[in-house]
Amino acid sequence: MPESEQWLELLEEKGCRITEPRRTIVDLMVHSDNALSPIDLFDKARASFPKMGLVTVYRTLEILNQLGLVERVHQKGGCHMYLRAANGHEHIMLCTRCGQAAYFHGDDLGALIHKINSESGFLIQEHWLQLHGLCKNCQ
Ligand SMILES: [Zn+2]
Ligand SMILES: [Zn+2]
């Protein structure tokens, strides 16, 4: 089954009605290597559905995020973009100029987290790491 069909099935199980605009949003997210803001997605989807509502975009992204299918990418200034979720424990690198995003794994924060645990008395249970910079094309 194509990945977008799997996503649509999961959406349906969440009680989401599968409409053509929704199908388009899912298709765009599944096939995008770049992180997309809701407005980016809205503009792209409106090419096929001029009557698409921005609320549909936000609502669909919210549910995809709850399902763990897309991940929020944080930007300076507090806006969010969205990217297909990683496989397993990976972190996002984001190009601050063009929005290209990629996952990497292999962070070794174990020793640092252990040190912080014992110094602060906090019990650290998870971490979130995102790198910002310029992709090859934008340097
Ligand atoms: Zn770039
Ligand atoms: Zn990590």
Side-chain angles (χ1 to χ4, degrees):
M1 200 193 305
E3 207 180 348
S4 47
E5 290 303 317
Q6 291 174 21
W7 286 30
L8 289 167
E9 251 180 33
L10 290 167
L11 277 174
E12 212 165 12
E13 283 168 20
K14 267 266 179 184
C16 236
R17 216 160 45 89
I18 304 307
T19 57
E20 284 306 306
R22 253 199 184 120
R23 200 175 273 280
T24 307
I25 293 168
V26 163
D27 244 17
L28 288 165
M29 279 314 298
V30 165
H31 295 113
S32 177
D33 287 327
N34 284 23
L36 298 171
S37 72
I39 302 292
D40 293 335
L41 207 52
F42 179 56
D43 284 342
K44 283 178 196 284
R46 257 198 321 185
S48 326
F49 293 97
K51 286 185 180 165
M52 167 91 69
L54 188 53
V55 173
T56 306
V57 176
Y58 275 107
R59 181 81 189 115
T60 307
L61 284 171
E62 196 184 298
I63 299 168
L64 290 174
N65 186 238
Q66 283 169 12
L67 286 166
L69 294 169
V70 300
E71 230 165 279
R72 273 206 179 99
V73 179
H74 296 253
Q75 287 183 291
K76 285 180 192 162
C79 298
H80 288 136
M81 301 205 287
Y82 291 84
L83 181 66
R84 245 178 337 163
N87 300 312
H89 185 85
E90 291 187 292
H91 296 287
I92 294 170
M93 302 182 268
L94 179 69
C95 176
T96 51
R97 191 162 294 166
C98 73
Q100 191 191 320
Y103 286 105
F104 68 94
H105 54 233
D107 67 305
D108 191 4
L109 299 178
L112 176 65
I113 288 170
H114 185 73
K115 184 169 171 279
I116 294 169
N117 266 342
S118 51
E119 284 176 6
S120 67
F122 264 71
L123 178 62
I124 312 294
Q125 293 173 309
E126 54 182 298
H127 68 266
W128 178 83
L129 175 68
Q130 189 179 300
L131 304 182
H132 296 241
L134 296 173
C135 73
K136 266 189 181 161
N137 293 330
C138 292
Q139 282 168 38

